[in-house]
Amino acid sequence: MPRSRRDRGHQAPRTEERPMVDARSATTGCLAGVRILDLTQFEAGPSCTEALAWLGAEVVKVENPKGGDPGRTSFRSGPGQDSWYFLLFNANKKSITLNLKSPRGIALVNDLARKADVFVENFAPGAIERLGLGYDAIRKVNPGIIYAQVKGFGTGSPFEDNLAFDMIAQACGGIMSVSGERDGPPVKPGATLGDTGTGMLLAISVLGALYRRKGTGQGERLEIAMQDAMLHYIRVCFAAQATSGRPAERAGAKLASGGNPPCGIYPCKPGGPNDYVYIYTSRANPAHWHRLLQVIGREDLIGNPQYETGLARTEHEPQIDEMISAWTRQRDKNEAMRILGAAGIPAGAVLDTGELQNDPSFEKRGIMQTIQHPACGPFKMPAWPVRHDGAPPPVKPAPLLGEHTGDVLGAWLGLSADDVKGLRRDGVI
Amino acid sequence: MPRSRRDRGHQAPRTEERPMVDARSATTGCLAGVRILDLTQFEAGPSCTEALAWLGAEVVKVENPKGGDPGRTSFRSGPGQDSWYFLLFNANKKSITLNLKSPRGIALVNDLARKADVFVENFAPGAIERLGLGYDAIRKVNPGIIYAQVKGFGTGSPFEDNLAFDMIAQACGGIMSVSGERDGPPVKPGATLGDTGTGMLLAISVLGALYRRKGTGQGERLEIAMQDAMLHYIRVCFAAQATSGRPAERAGAKLASGGNPPCGIYPCKPGGPNDYVYIYTSRANPAHWHRLLQVIGREDLIGNPQYETGLARTEHEPQIDEMISAWTRQRDKNEAMRILGAAGIPAGAVLDTGELQNDPSFEKRGIMQTIQHPACGPFKMPAWPVRHDGAPPPVKPAPLLGEHTGDVLGAWLGLSADDVKGLRRDGVI
């Protein structure tokens, strides 16, 4: 199904040589001028503030002078280097160090909060209040602030004081119960839904609150719990449960929401762990099935009542899977995807992270970008995947620990170089 | 680790009887006054516009007069009823019918676009341009519009003309390669990351663009591809790959990013398919491991060098898993979670959708809300999980097909009841 080339004139020209990341609006962010005071660590909070940084907000990460965000060092990449993990979740941010065990450090957080539009934290339950930086304290110095928190379990939950990490949220939020082989144990998806999945929902609410605040100056308190956030990503399973009356089940590579064969992965040459192609035919378009029969050389079955409807195919799923496999086994996954896709059948090769990392299309289109990090060297990493006027925003390297302490204390609070030197001497920064 | 009750004064009172959904700001949305013209169907697009609707935008869903969004009927719930699936992804929206095969229908879309702040679509590749509603056409009638599209594969990708659905994106975007048992085939997580995961990222960019537009009036074109969006959710796997030099692998219930034992699910009584508790001890806090040894009655091992560091535990993972299982097997998952959580150890029961649906905490806190749908009756569904000043926004039922056609054509375009009657007679709406 070719589409008109006419409609592409407004986009950056597609050339092999020129990455698309330098298009018009990508260099100016939507959120230019927005100040985020970022007291987050690891992933759930940092993924949220990084999304805001990618859209142009000034995100100032407040870190412990002794080592900073534990994400810098908990996942080692090399001696004395920040981890790749840290680089991935903290691009485009600034870093300042502040000693939160020092009263002057806490006072500086208050001073910075007075100048900020948004305050974000994801400490363990109760920690931010024990520091004297809870919402009631911060809104006293800045009633218009948007104060955003990530919790493991929601306020009012029987588990509100419990610790949580990504995998705990995926267990308690239903994700694992619907992921895995049909008769096997629950699986934790490799995607960090408990962290980044939560961070994205909080980013949406922060942006909604910023939009209102721009008109009214109104502050707001936002809170998201990782367990609660998980329900949002398995709503099709709640639909399946409402229909069947039973909890949604695991279904391997097929659909937890119920079958619509063909739907699943089919084995390809040469038989490695990810040598499969996913094939699906839509409920809403019966033509997909007919196209598939043509591609696999089984035109003889077009119109055959044993296979013509979704219901009939559900009854003959093993036969269908076998006839498709007979075709896919003769091909590698990329070839299978090319042929099926070109014929208008929804199909996709199962690609691993190495194949994705090395696929030139991602780099050419700016979906992956290479940063030059002063300590870690060049690193190609996934960028914000939404294209704004043709290109994703450019990625800037994650900051070194305390890289912007002087700059930010100067620009936000008017402190002089001497003031900063004094704070450093006194162990405050 | 108790936290101060003092900091809760600003929230709605916590009583057993009163759900938290009627707190102050929840009834007025952050995005009040924002008009979204929504030409999306199924899930990726609708999940995006629904998030905007939950935050208070006026989302007008444009549907085919003959059956509407195929999501209404592709997943049946009952005769003549909209599917639960549809209800889940279209809450708080309005619905109008417009015949896009009629020139007058297309003209009305243009008229509505002139009045809209945002236009969103997720048709198959090229379809919106063939309708004459591509970006170049729409920005002629409204240069300040934010025009947002969901694609399966990005513009410039070798697969840009291919069809995609959630599972195709999860295959081609790396998610499946890192989900499943260590020696088993790839698994498709029950979470619909390809759809809702993509929709959330687009919502963030729409909101960023709206923020800028409020100041400058500047329009913008946004595009996200489902395949590209998947990379965003497996960035820990790219970090693992950067460290190891090999593609990230599947790890069952453990971490694709590498072990830090104990980390995984442990079997509980009575041994059903989801009778497990997830237990983790943080890399950043050695106390977790000591607390765990105390809970399971193995204080004797505190300080034992065989288990004291993450590296030592990695070498003795089978022994660790066995000693923990010996304790969990004596308990049901809820009891295990209560005991471990209260001791300050990150732990969570693997909960299924039935347990989540019936957990009173979600309803009490407004994370799940019951709608009264005029045709489908009462339906308890997950709401937007971020609490704005103490409560998630209230859920209003998804619209009936064309429920708001007259209202919206009147309010946005000034059409009279007679005009609307004429359009209906002529098959335009």
Side-chain angles (χ1 to χ4, degrees):
Chain A
M1 46 185 64
R3 43 202 282 258
S4 161
R5 302 281 145 178
R6 221 167 9 90
D7 286 288
R8 293 211 182 99
H10 57 281
Q11 292 176 359
R14 291 199 296 146
T15 68
E16 294 303 310
E17 300 74 32
R18 181 164 159 277
M20 283 177 163
V21 295
D22 50 358
R24 176 169 72 79
S25 78
T27 46
T28 70
C30 300
L31 301 181
V34 174
R35 285 176 165 177
I36 316 273
L37 191 61
D38 179 3
L39 278 83
T40 69
Q41 50 277 312
F42 288 120
E43 182 179 338
S47 67
C48 169
T49 55
E50 190 194 47
L52 303 172
W54 270 330
L55 296 185
E58 182 184 15
V59 175
V60 172
K61 193 171 171 80
V62 176
E63 299 188 78
N64 180 345
K66 293 191 179 142
D69 179 345
R72 287 185 184 266
T73 49
S74 295
F75 308 79
R76 276 259 171 238
S77 56
Q81 284 182 6
D82 290 323
S83 66
W84 307 118
Y85 173 93
F86 180 81
L87 266 52
L88 283 160
F89 293 105
N90 293 283
N92 296 41
K93 300 182 189 174
K94 295 180 178 177
S95 165
I96 68 171
T97 51
L98 279 181
N99 181 355
L100 301 186
K101 290 184 179 149
S102 128
R104 285 170 67 197
I106 295 295
L108 281 169
V109 175
N110 275 281
D111 291 343
L112 291 164
R114 198 172 286 120
K115 303 287 188 176
D117 301 298
V118 183
F119 181 109
V120 192
E121 70 93 13
N122 71 331
F123 285 114
I128 199 78
E129 289 83 6
R130 286 194 296 273
L131 288 169
L133 300 172
Y135 179 55
D136 285 350
I138 295 297
R139 73 165 166 176
K140 270 194 201 124
V141 302
N142 184 351
I145 204 156
I146 296 161
Y147 186 95
Q149 298 179 277
V150 180
K151 305 271 187 194
F153 298 91
T155 301
S157 145
F159 302 108
E160 63 177 358
D161 294 328
N162 285 31
L163 296 172
F165 288 84
D166 173 73
M167 64 293 278
I168 306 301
Q170 297 212 38
C172 294
I175 305 277
M176 289 187 65
S177 76
V178 293
S179 302
E181 295 299 332
R182 210 175 282 276
D183 300 316
V187 150
K188 195 198 82 60
T192 44
L193 276 169
D195 279 335
T196 287
T198 301
M200 294 306 101
L201 305 190
L202 184 60
I204 288 171
S205 278
V206 166
L207 285 159
L210 273 169
Y211 183 86
R212 169 157 63 191
R213 183 175 182 276
K214 191 161 188 168
T216 66
Q218 185 179 333
E220 195 156 356
R221 183 190 198 176
L222 304 174
E223 179 192 298
I224 188 165
M226 294 160 72
Q227 180 193 30
D228 300 345
M230 296 304 90
L231 309 188
H232 188 71
Y233 291 99
I234 52 168
R235 288 179 291 163
V236 288
C237 298
F238 284 100
Q241 171 175 270
T243 305
S244 74
R246 293 188 315 274
E249 295 176 0
R250 295 184 276 284
K254 295 178 185 280
L255 304 189
S257 55
N260 182 48
C263 172
I265 52 171
Y266 296 90
C268 294
K269 288 198 295 192
N274 292 304
D275 285 328
Y276 295 91
V277 63
Y278 209 111
I279 301 177
Y280 178 67
T281 57
S282 171
R283 296 163 209 258
N285 190 344
H288 293 171
W289 170 244
H290 293 171
R291 293 173 192 159
L292 178 60
L293 286 173
Q294 285 179 316
V295 165
I296 67 171
R298 294 304 305 266
E299 298 92 332
D300 58 302
L301 295 177
I302 293 177
N304 183 321
Q306 282 206 346
Y307 302 109
E308 198 57 15
T309 67
L311 189 63
R313 289 198 290 278
T314 301
E315 285 166 15
H316 298 91
E317 189 162 11
Q319 295 95 311
I320 287 171
D321 285 351
E322 185 41 47
M323 71 174 86
I324 296 171
S325 299
W327 184 86
T328 58
R329 278 201 203 92
Q330 308 303 314
R331 285 154 185 90
D332 77 42
K333 63 185 176 186
N334 295 308
E335 182 192 359
M337 178 180 176
R338 265 197 311 274
I339 296 170
L340 293 161
I345 300 153
V350 174
L351 300 178
D352 69 28
T353 55
E355 292 165 324
L356 293 166
Q357 182 89 31
N358 295 317
D359 183 334
S361 168
F362 289 103
E363 196 161 4
K364 194 179 78 174
R365 298 184 290 113
I367 302 300
M368 295 196 87
Q369 296 178 32
T370 300
I371 54 163
Q372 299 294 336
H373 188 277
C376 305
F379 180 50
K380 187 161 93 172
M381 56 178 271
W384 181 244
V386 185
R387 305 168 84 182
H388 286 243
D389 285 335
V395 180
K396 295 177 220 159
L400 299 171
L401 179 59
E403 183 177 343
H404 305 94
T405 306
D407 294 351
V408 171
L409 295 181
W412 286 34
L413 304 181
L415 299 196
S416 70
D418 273 354
D419 295 335
V420 171
K421 198 185 285 178
L423 289 168
R424 199 177 306 279
R425 188 192 55 222
D426 296 346
V428 178
I429 60 176
Chain B
M1 43 185 66
R3 43 203 282 258
S4 160
R5 302 280 146 178
R6 218 168 15 90
D7 286 288
R8 292 211 182 100
H10 57 281
Q11 291 176 0
R14 291 199 295 146
T15 68
E16 293 303 308
E17 301 74 32
R18 182 163 158 278
M20 283 178 163
V21 295
D22 51 357
R24 177 169 71 79
S25 78
T27 46
T28 70
C30 300
L31 301 181
V34 173
R35 284 175 165 178
I36 317 272
L37 192 61
D38 179 4
L39 278 82
T40 69
Q41 50 277 310
F42 288 120
E43 183 180 337
S47 67
C48 170
T49 55
E50 190 193 47
L52 303 172
W54 270 330
L55 295 186
E58 182 184 15
V59 175
V60 172
K61 193 170 169 79
V62 176
E63 299 188 79
N64 179 346
K66 293 190 180 145
D69 180 346
R72 286 186 185 266
T73 49
S74 295
F75 307 79
R76 276 261 170 235
S77 56
Q81 285 182 4
D82 290 324
S83 66
W84 306 119
Y85 173 93
F86 180 81
L87 266 52
L88 283 161
F89 294 105
N90 293 283
N92 296 40
K93 300 182 189 175
K94 296 180 178 176
S95 164
I96 68 171
T97 51
L98 279 182
N99 181 355
L100 300 186
K101 290 182 178 151
S102 131
R104 286 169 68 195
I106 295 295
L108 282 168
V109 175
N110 275 282
D111 291 342
L112 291 164
R114 198 173 285 120
K115 303 287 187 175
D117 301 298
V118 182
F119 181 108
V120 192
E121 70 92 15
N122 70 332
F123 285 114
I128 199 78
E129 289 83 6
R130 285 194 296 274
L131 287 169
L133 301 172
Y135 179 55
D136 286 350
I138 295 297
R139 72 165 168 176
K140 270 193 200 125
V141 303
N142 184 351
I145 203 156
I146 296 161
Y147 187 95
Q149 298 179 276
V150 180
K151 305 272 188 194
F153 298 91
T155 301
S157 146
F159 301 107
E160 63 176 356
D161 293 328
N162 285 31
L163 296 173
F165 289 84
D166 172 73
M167 63 294 277
I168 306 302
Q170 298 212 38
C172 295
I175 305 277
M176 290 187 64
S177 76
V178 292
S179 303
E181 294 299 332
R182 209 174 283 274
D183 299 315
V187 150
K188 195 197 83 59
T192 44
L193 276 169
D195 280 335
T196 287
T198 301
M200 294 307 99
L201 305 190
L202 184 59
I204 288 171
S205 278
V206 166
L207 286 159
L210 273 169
Y211 183 86
R212 169 158 65 191
R213 183 176 183 275
K214 191 160 188 169
T216 65
Q218 185 180 333
E220 196 157 353
R221 184 189 196 177
L222 305 174
E223 180 192 298
I224 188 165
M226 294 160 73
Q227 180 194 29
D228 299 345
M230 295 305 90
L231 309 188
H232 188 70
Y233 292 98
I234 52 169
R235 287 179 291 162
V236 288
C237 298
F238 284 101
Q241 171 176 271
T243 306
S244 73
R246 294 189 315 274
E249 295 175 359
R250 296 184 275 285
K254 295 178 185 280
L255 303 190
S257 55
N260 182 48
C263 172
I265 51 171
Y266 296 89
C268 294
K269 288 198 297 191
N274 292 304
D275 285 326
Y276 295 90
V277 63
Y278 209 112
I279 302 177
Y280 178 67
T281 58
S282 171
R283 296 164 210 259
N285 190 343
H288 293 172
W289 169 244
H290 293 171
R291 293 173 192 161
L292 178 61
L293 286 173
Q294 284 178 314
V295 165
I296 66 171
R298 294 305 303 269
E299 298 92 331
D300 58 301
L301 296 177
I302 293 176
N304 183 319
Q306 282 207 346
Y307 302 109
E308 198 57 17
T309 68
L311 189 63
R313 289 197 290 277
T314 301
E315 285 166 16
H316 298 90
E317 189 162 11
Q319 294 96 310
I320 286 171
D321 285 350
E322 185 41 46
M323 72 175 85
I324 296 172
S325 299
W327 184 86
T328 59
R329 278 202 204 92
Q330 309 303 314
R331 286 155 185 88
D332 77 42
K333 63 185 175 186
N334 294 307
E335 183 192 358
M337 178 180 177
R338 265 196 311 274
I339 296 170
L340 293 161
I345 300 153
V350 175
L351 299 178
D352 69 28
T353 55
E355 291 166 324
L356 293 166
Q357 181 89 31
N358 295 317
D359 184 333
S361 167
F362 289 103
E363 196 162 5
K364 194 179 79 175
R365 298 184 290 114
I367 301 300
M368 297 196 86
Q369 296 178 31
T370 300
I371 54 163
Q372 299 294 337
H373 188 277
C376 305
F379 180 50
K380 186 161 94 172
M381 56 178 272
W384 180 245
V386 185
R387 305 168 86 183
H388 286 243
D389 284 335
V395 180
K396 296 177 218 159
L400 299 171
L401 179 59
E403 184 178 342
H404 306 93
T405 306
D407 293 351
V408 171
L409 295 181
W412 287 34
L413 304 181
L415 299 196
S416 69
D418 273 355
D419 295 335
V420 171
K421 198 185 284 178
L423 289 168
R424 199 176 306 279
R425 188 191 56 223
D426 296 347
V428 178
I429 60 175

